[in-house]
Amino acid sequence: MAYFLSTLFGSIIPMCVTALVTMAITLIFKTSFTTNFAQGVISAFGAYVVSSVMTSNGLSIWLALPAGMLVSMLIAIVIDVGIFRRGRYVNALGKQIITMGLISIVVGATPLVFGIVNPGFTPFVKGLISFDLADGNVSFPKNSLVCMAMTIVVIGAIFVLLRYSKWGLSVRATASNEYVAGMMGINTHVVTAVSWGLAGAIGALAATINASSGNTVNIYFMTNYQVFAFLAGILGGFSTFHGPVIAALMIPLANNLVQYAVNVMGRPDLTGWSMVFVYGIALVIIFFKPQGIFGKKIAKKV
Amino acid sequence: MKKYLNKNYALLGKTPPKDERFTKVARALFFNPIGHYILFGVLCYVVAYLATNKIIPDLIPYSLQSSLAISFSFAIASIGFCLLMGYSGLASLGTGGFIGIGSYSVHYVMYQAELPLPVAIVAALLVAALIGVVVGFISLRIEGIYLVILTLGLSEILRNVYMVVEDKIKVKNFELFGTLIKKQHSLYIVATLLVVVMIITHNIINSPTGRAMLAMKNSTAAAQAMGISLIKYRLLAFVICTMYAALSGVMIMITIRSIQASNASGYYALITSLNILAAVIIGGFKSIWGAVFGSFVMYGMQTAILQDIPFFAENPEFITFISGALVIIVVMFFPGGLAQLILELKAKVKVWYKKIKEGIYGKDLG
């Protein structure tokens, strides 16, 4: 039981990070109709900003975080306004290639801006929570709980906004049909720009959460989560907003649970295969339900 | 045949067209696309010879052979991707994982079992064909962006398998047809296989298979109505693409000699699949030459050309930055890629040439 609980608490950070990244990717996918491959590096850039603000000004991570989120948000808005708005007639594949060109730009720009440094991070809250159960000790950093609270607040706020605010309505309208939404008087330019900005800010938050939990930071350190997010997107179904996020919570949890199961069965040598197993299951589900677990079937017009 | 034609031209009082003034060999080499590929291979051999023996180090530096070998290795995968995307209208992001198939078969067949290179190539092609069939079947159910992400997932599965099975792979110097192949000789093998792949692809494109693929790309419904079997050609497209990617992996392995799979920016990760995609887009996604040139831009240009410019040698980050900007500019302003750009330039030059001629001789003689 103690080991099971440790596994659960250890999954908090990956679950938070994946959920946030997936939220960002879904927002961009719904409003700009492209998968943003640059999400990972833009988020990582935000984490670099947080780190450099912390070290150069001696601020705490709480004060540096908004700076990083702001910078990522501005970068994302500049990308939308400067590139995607002008490339409206680029086809879907072309848009994806543009985001991949952005990867190279951000990867090239990071050492130019920050120099070649290993960014240092401190957790949001120091200390461990530890308690004893009948069959052992459970301990995990307090930081995880703080990160979880932040994630829940941010994602909850976005869902409330999407559901009840005027902005959310315009996002949903743009997602269902950009041209008709434009005709109905919705300023789709603003909707897309705000979605991109929001995605950038969420990405920076995700990267900072990931970095604050002690993982090594480099410009590619969010790429794995981005791959999770794409997979979660189609596993949950891109046609809704909640589907991808729920799937995003499932993927890291399933990974850790498979590792737990393998260890309990006494085959620790198999832990490396857990990701293969989870990906495999996800692909099989997608194969039989191409529109995703929560997705609605969209009739194809000929 | 030639004589007969010439006689006819003489009877009609006309000069024979340009390409019939040359001998058969010259015509085969210079006026035939396949001849161009062979000439290209010969050129690669000459460059490889000059570079490895350091004959003119100022013009053809020693490092040129390795950067060409790397970019031509990736060019094989790019050509496969070109066939998949430009001709069959399918997209995939699994190239990185598929490349790994080739590299791992080299590791196991040549390094562990100490068998010769052809065995490794055959093993790689067989495994790749199997995986290509699987992806092809998936593509029958899932399309568009979903297929892209699904192949990405498949590629991640492969990468995870690689990481668990053997993270670091390597290969030593080996013998091929009685000669010892060292690292610097890889360009010979890569160029040979690239030319073979180019010729095969050219033939596929210009055969009923290629036309069926194009029909399938433009409209699946219309293609089916014409009697084209979707399952056959989708499977074929994916099998060819995966096999080329695996072949490219074999070439990368004998060029680089040791690879680590768990590297997030490594050869089997998402970034490789994206780079291949970018190479095909930059080159123009319906052109074999475009794919080769695009791969050179993505993989070879940095080490071959830009590093000699002092500014870039001091700030290597700018190269990454500029290559990203280049990709975006090409996609936004030249959607046909560099291949189309060259075609347009050619047409323009022809118009200018005609105008100059008219200016000199007057309109009637032009």
Side-chain angles (χ1 to χ4, degrees):
Chain A
M1 190 62 195
Y3 181 42
F4 181 72
L5 280 182
S6 303
T7 311
L8 277 191
F9 287 123
S11 319
I12 289 178
I13 290 283
M15 279 163 76
C16 292
V17 176
T18 320
L20 286 170
V21 174
T22 310
M23 191 74 239
I25 280 178
T26 314
L27 271 176
I28 291 179
F29 184 86
K30 297 283 267 185
T31 51
S32 288
F33 310 100
T34 183
T35 47
N36 182 15
F37 290 114
Q39 180 68 39
V41 287
I42 294 172
S43 314
F45 193 86
Y48 271 73
V49 173
V50 171
S51 166
S52 77
V53 168
M54 271 164 64
T55 44
S56 61
N57 300 336
L59 291 174
S60 77
I61 192 166
W62 287 102
L63 292 171
L65 176 63
M69 285 169 75
L70 192 70
V71 170
S72 278
M73 189 171 96
L74 289 179
I75 292 175
I77 290 178
V78 165
I79 289 169
D80 179 51
V81 173
I83 297 173
F84 276 85
R85 194 174 288 180
R86 281 159 212 279
R88 288 191 85 173
Y89 302 106
V90 174
N91 61 6
L93 207 60
K95 282 183 180 172
Q96 287 181 310
I97 309 295
I98 289 178
T99 62
M100 93 124 280
L102 291 170
I103 297 183
S104 302
I105 289 186
V106 177
V107 169
T110 309
L112 291 175
V113 177
F114 299 105
I116 298 153
V117 284
N118 271 334
F121 278 90
T122 52
F124 287 98
V125 181
K126 287 195 179 100
L128 287 173
I129 293 177
S130 172
F131 53 88
D132 286 314
L133 286 177
D135 55 347
N137 174 268
V138 181
S139 74
F140 58 95
K142 282 180 186 166
N143 190 39
S144 304
L145 289 185
V146 175
C147 292
M148 187 168 83
M150 278 196 285
T151 310
I152 290 173
V153 168
V154 168
I155 290 186
I158 289 174
F159 273 119
V160 168
L161 284 177
L162 278 174
R163 190 85 184 80
Y164 298 107
S165 77
K166 208 177 162 189
W167 170 77
L169 188 62
S170 50
V171 166
R172 281 183 285 141
T174 312
S176 84
N177 193 327
E178 196 181 354
Y179 292 101
V180 177
M183 280 184 230
M184 294 294 146
I186 292 168
N187 191 342
T188 50
H189 282 340
V190 173
V191 170
T192 0
V194 170
S195 301
W196 272 82
L198 208 54
I202 298 173
L205 176 65
T208 313
I209 286 179
N210 190 10
S212 74
S213 67
N215 293 326
T216 44
V217 178
N218 59 42
I219 192 68
Y220 290 113
F221 86 121
M222 293 298 285
T223 314
N224 262 343
Y225 288 101
Q226 184 188 323
V227 174
F228 281 175
F230 288 141
L231 205 65
I234 53 171
L235 185 62
F238 266 130
S239 53
T240 59
F241 277 99
H242 62 271
V245 176
I246 296 173
L249 295 174
M250 279 166 14
I251 292 179
L253 185 65
N255 182 28
N256 282 357
L257 287 183
V258 169
Q259 284 182 3
Y260 165 78
V262 159
N263 276 324
V264 166
M265 284 189 293
R267 293 292 301 277
D269 52 316
L270 290 178
T271 39
W273 291 93
S274 63
M275 213 56 244
V276 176
F277 185 75
V278 172
Y279 273 130
I281 296 281
L283 292 195
V284 168
I285 294 175
I286 294 165
F287 184 75
F288 288 107
K289 268 185 88 72
Q291 69 275 21
I293 302 174
F294 304 97
K296 295 166 218 150
K297 193 155 190 170
I298 297 166
K300 193 176 162 188
K301 288 176 196 150
V302 179
Chain B
M1 187 69 184
K2 189 187 157 205
K3 256 185 191 170
Y4 172 74
L5 282 174
N6 277 348
K7 211 190 270 172
N8 269 4
Y9 285 121
L11 279 177
L12 290 166
K14 280 183 181 172
T15 47
K18 206 175 177 184
D19 56 332
E20 289 186 13
R21 286 181 219 150
F22 297 92
T23 61
K24 210 172 178 180
V25 176
R27 256 188 291 150
L29 277 181
F30 293 104
F31 295 104
N32 183 349
I34 292 182
H36 293 169
Y37 302 139
I38 293 170
L39 275 184
F40 172 73
V42 173
L43 189 69
C44 288
Y45 269 58
V46 172
V47 169
Y49 182 78
L50 292 179
T52 41
N53 294 315
K54 297 179 190 160
I55 292 176
I56 26 175
D58 293 332
L59 197 63
I60 301 178
Y62 184 70
S63 64
L64 187 66
Q65 50 85 20
S66 70
S67 43
L68 282 185
I70 271 291
S71 38
F72 290 161
S73 308
F74 280 107
I76 297 177
S78 301
I79 291 174
F81 198 75
C82 192
L83 200 69
L84 187 76
M85 196 170 77
Y87 284 87
S88 314
L90 301 161
S92 121
L93 273 183
T95 327
F98 302 151
I99 282 175
I101 299 170
S103 305
Y104 274 80
S105 62
V106 168
H107 174 78
Y108 281 115
V109 174
M110 287 169 68
Y111 182 73
Q112 305 248 351
E114 295 184 345
L115 290 168
L117 177 66
V119 182
I121 291 180
V122 170
L125 292 184
L126 285 179
V127 178
L130 200 72
I131 291 187
V133 168
V134 172
V135 185
F137 271 115
I138 294 174
S139 79
L140 291 173
R141 255 186 92 82
I142 296 163
E143 283 179 333
I145 213 155
Y146 288 73
L147 180 64
V148 171
I149 296 172
L150 205 81
T151 48
L152 169 64
L154 204 66
S155 162
E156 283 296 311
I157 289 186
L158 285 174
R159 191 166 80 96
N160 273 294
V161 170
Y162 300 151
M163 275 165 14
V164 180
V165 170
E166 191 103 53
D167 193 18
K168 276 184 184 164
I169 52 170
K170 53 190 168 184
V171 65
K172 286 187 285 196
N173 291 344
F174 57 93
E175 279 200 353
L176 187 69
F177 306 127
T179 44
L180 187 71
I181 305 290
K182 286 183 190 159
K183 200 175 170 181
Q184 64 262 38
H185 298 136
S186 48
L187 182 55
Y188 292 107
I189 304 175
V190 174
T192 316
L193 273 164
L194 177 62
V195 170
V196 171
V197 162
M198 281 164 114
I199 293 173
I200 293 176
T201 316
H202 180 89
N203 284 332
I204 293 175
I205 289 171
N206 294 300
S207 70
T209 313
R211 286 191 286 277
M213 283 177 177
L214 260 183
M216 191 173 75
K217 179 195 175 188
N218 291 326
S219 159
T220 44
Q224 275 176 314
M226 307 246 296
I228 290 166
S229 151
L230 272 194
I231 179 161
K232 182 179 163 194
Y233 288 103
R234 283 209 171 155
L235 283 187
L236 195 66
F238 266 109
V239 167
I240 293 173
C241 175
T242 336
M243 281 165 95
Y244 281 6
L247 192 60
S248 144
V250 172
M251 294 299 113
I252 289 161
M253 196 63 205
I254 63 172
T255 312
I256 297 180
R257 298 292 164 110
S258 88
I259 291 175
Q260 192 176 4
S262 56
N263 192 346
S265 55
Y267 288 106
Y268 312 133
L270 171 62
I271 197 84
T272 302
S273 312
L274 290 174
N275 278 344
I276 298 270
L277 187 59
V280 174
I281 294 279
I282 290 178
F285 54 88
K286 265 181 164 184
S287 153
I288 295 177
W289 288 110
V292 175
F293 188 74
S295 315
F296 178 72
V297 170
M298 293 308 292
Y299 284 100
M301 201 161 74
Q302 177 172 359
T303 45
I305 299 171
L306 293 179
Q307 247 172 21
D308 297 336
I309 302 167
F311 174 74
F312 287 116
E314 280 165 25
N315 309 300
E317 300 88 26
F318 266 110
I319 302 177
T320 329
F321 190 84
I322 286 172
S323 73
L326 189 72
V327 169
I328 294 178
I329 289 169
V330 167
V331 172
M332 287 181 71
F333 302 109
F334 308 105
L338 291 171
Q340 201 196 344
L341 194 67
I342 288 170
L343 277 184
E344 279 172 11
L345 277 182
K346 240 185 184 174
K348 269 190 184 161
V349 167
K350 260 186 187 165
V351 170
W352 290 335
Y353 182 68
K354 208 179 162 190
K355 273 187 182 167
I356 291 169
K357 238 183 169 179
E358 276 177 5
I360 296 172
Y361 299 113
K363 260 196 173 163
D364 290 338
L365 287 166

